[in-house]
Amino acid sequence: MSTVAKTKPLQWTYKGLDTGGKSVKGVLEASSEAQAIQQLKAKGVMPDKLSQKGGGTGLQQEITIPGLERGPSLKDLAILTRQMATMVSAGVSILRALTIVQAQTDNAKLRRTIEDIAAKVEGGTALSVALEEFPRVIPPIMVHLVRAGESGGFLDKSLLMVADNFEAETKLRSKVKSALTYPIVVLVIALVAVAGMLIFIVPVFEKMFADLGGALPGPTQLLVDMSKAMPVAVPVIVVVAVAFAIWWGRNKNTDAVRRVVDPIKLKLPVFGKLNSKIALTRFTRNFATMLASGVPILQSLSIVGATSDNYVISSSLQGVQEGVRQGRPIAESLGEVELFPEMLVQMVGIGEESGAIDTMLEKTADFYDDEVETMSSQLTALLEPLMIVFMGGLLGFMILALYMPMFTIFQSIQSL
């Protein structure tokens, strides 16, 4: 793998006052302190604190490995869009807003992307068109909501909707991660403990048992065989795990993989129901956001299918789109898909009749969001004792297997 070394200007953190006397802070790039001060004055900021953050030349070169640079999180994008919405609603031009948020963005990849977007906007390109040229950084839902805001004359409100959507998705992911963190940590500790015993402890007992002679009990012999296989098995497992991680990172979003994996996610014991609720939460919230922004229904269904992160929903919505295209109600088309619960279908039907489908979808999304939180808490409460029992049982079995030959020896001695 090749590395690319590139020189970038020094980074400076600053604090100061803007023209309205409000305290501001952020990060900017400049080759010298004098240039940094000039940039701040051009922005209307009077700095009272300016310090070098990093970057530079020579030993300060930034080394990046292609494909491994950390992209922006949804939280980064939520902060970006909320800041832009505030400035646009205050009458700040889009180009000026992009310049300001670029200086205050910590993620390097997002900062460079904003710089490229600003250059395109300065050249006369519409913001939505400029955003669309960076699909690896900017999600499709953000592009379409910005386009709807531009065409409808409510760009600030569209940006706020994007920020709300990303923040809700961030909270959803946080709930799921918090539910899975404990069992994953316990599982890793258990595997490390088992590997440590097989590599360091079992060989000691094996030598002692060999000196004493006699046949080993089945469980003890199993541990001895596993210990002998560890020097070969560990490197193979590590190589396979790394290769799989690389392959998964490159192919997890392809249709061929998602067509197989996503249905399994929805049918897993315990976790399947949780995955279904998460998929429904994303679908209803994204659909509500798109409709509230004035995006046409057919286009909204296409977009929420692509952003649902589940192939089952994405493929199912193609049939829903066809039904809507033929003039059928959305609720009727959704009702033909087994994945969508009756409550969701009824809420959509009420929304269609009352002309407030986006509001009903938003309420449905809140309901499923609460259900995800409740299920995550229940799952954590269930998995904690199960993982403790699993870890205790695994280590207990190994300890018992190691001491079984000693019990046999003691019995032999007593019989003499």
Side-chain angles (χ1 to χ4, degrees):
M1 182 180 293
S2 63
T3 59
V4 179
K6 61 178 181 180
T7 303
K8 60 180 291 186
L10 299 175
Q11 291 186 331
W12 303 84
T13 58
Y14 67 87
K15 290 182 65 177
L17 300 175
D18 61 14
T19 54
K22 185 179 178 181
S23 178
V24 294
K25 63 179 180 179
V27 180
L28 58 80
E29 294 182 352
S31 57
S32 66
E33 184 176 357
Q35 189 180 66
I37 293 174
Q38 288 180 356
Q39 288 187 29
L40 290 173
K41 288 182 177 180
K43 294 178 180 180
V45 176
M46 291 297 295
D48 55 28
K49 183 178 180 181
L50 183 65
S51 58
Q52 183 180 334
K53 181 180 180 182
T57 60
L59 295 177
Q60 293 179 324
Q61 285 181 332
E62 179 186 15
I63 307 297
T64 61
I65 301 177
L68 296 183
E69 186 179 25
R70 186 181 72 87
S73 64
L74 282 178
K75 185 177 180 181
D76 294 329
L77 294 173
I79 294 172
L80 164 70
T81 50
R82 192 166 294 281
Q83 288 175 337
M84 285 197 63
T86 303
M87 286 184 282
V88 171
S89 63
V92 179
S93 68
I94 295 176
L95 182 59
R96 174 72 170 155
L98 287 169
T99 304
I100 294 173
V101 295
Q102 179 200 354
Q104 298 180 354
T105 300
D106 291 330
N107 185 273
K109 188 172 184 178
L110 180 57
R111 188 167 56 246
R112 290 196 302 273
T113 301
I114 297 173
E115 183 179 3
D116 293 339
I117 292 171
K120 293 180 181 298
V121 170
E122 189 175 13
T125 304
L127 177 60
S128 59
V129 176
L131 293 172
E132 197 171 18
E133 296 186 21
F134 301 92
R136 294 183 178 273
V137 180
I138 307 299
I141 190 170
M142 180 175 174
V143 175
H144 290 282
L145 287 176
V146 168
R147 179 173 292 133
E150 286 177 326
S151 60
F154 50 89
L155 180 59
D156 54 337
K157 294 181 180 179
S158 291
L159 288 169
L160 282 176
M161 289 181 181
V162 175
D164 291 339
N165 185 279
F166 288 163
E167 287 170 358
E169 178 66 17
T170 301
K171 290 179 182 178
L172 178 65
R173 293 184 180 184
S174 177
K175 293 171 187 175
V176 177
K177 286 180 180 179
S178 64
L180 298 180
T181 297
Y182 181 83
I184 290 175
V185 169
V186 172
L187 180 61
V188 170
I189 292 175
L191 293 177
V192 171
V194 169
M197 291 184 68
L198 290 174
I199 294 173
F200 301 107
I201 297 178
V202 173
V204 176
F205 279 82
E206 180 193 3
K207 185 176 183 304
M208 181 178 65
F209 297 150
D211 294 339
L212 293 174
L216 296 176
T220 309
Q221 186 63 51
L222 175 63
L223 289 184
V224 171
D225 293 340
M226 291 176 63
S227 176
K228 291 180 179 178
M230 287 299 286
V232 177
V234 170
V236 172
I237 292 173
V238 171
V239 171
V240 170
V242 171
F244 176 77
I246 295 173
W247 177 86
W248 180 255
R250 293 178 177 177
N251 298 278
K252 64 180 179 180
N253 294 321
T254 61
D255 286 346
V257 173
R258 293 179 62 198
R259 190 181 295 113
V260 176
V261 174
D262 287 355
I264 296 175
K265 287 182 181 180
L266 302 180
K267 295 178 182 178
L268 288 172
V270 183
F271 291 97
K273 194 173 182 180
L274 177 61
N275 288 328
S276 298
K277 298 294 183 184
I278 292 171
L280 290 172
T281 302
R282 287 198 180 106
F283 163 69
T284 51
R285 193 175 302 283
N286 290 346
F287 197 14
T289 304
M290 299 299 294
L291 293 178
S293 296
V295 179
I297 291 177
L298 287 175
Q299 188 178 355
S300 297
L301 286 170
S302 176
I303 296 167
V304 296
T307 59
S308 64
D309 198 29
N310 190 282
Y311 184 83
V312 178
I313 287 184
S314 178
S315 57
S316 299
L317 287 178
Q318 294 177 8
V320 176
Q321 282 180 265
E322 186 59 32
V324 173
R325 190 176 288 111
Q326 294 173 1
R328 298 167 59 192
I330 304 175
E332 182 181 336
S333 300
L334 289 175
E336 297 177 354
V337 180
E338 185 179 352
L339 178 64
F340 297 121
E342 183 62 26
M343 189 203 79
L344 170 60
V345 175
Q346 291 179 358
M347 293 289 279
V348 172
I350 294 172
E352 285 183 294
E353 292 177 3
S354 62
I357 186 171
D358 56 329
T359 303
M360 300 306 292
L361 283 168
E362 187 65 35
K363 292 183 181 297
T364 307
D366 291 338
F367 172 79
Y368 285 132
D369 195 41
D370 291 339
E371 282 211 336
V372 168
E373 185 173 4
T374 302
M375 291 185 65
S376 299
S377 301
Q378 293 174 346
L379 188 63
T380 303
L382 175 66
L383 287 177
E384 284 183 6
L386 288 179
M387 293 304 297
I388 292 174
V389 171
F390 167 76
M391 187 173 180
L394 184 62
L395 296 179
F397 166 77
M398 295 186 68
I399 294 172
L400 182 62
L402 289 176
Y403 280 94
M404 285 180 68
M406 295 185 182
F407 298 148
T408 305
I409 293 171
F410 290 151
Q411 291 175 357
S412 302
I413 293 175
Q414 289 176 355
S415 63
L416 294 177

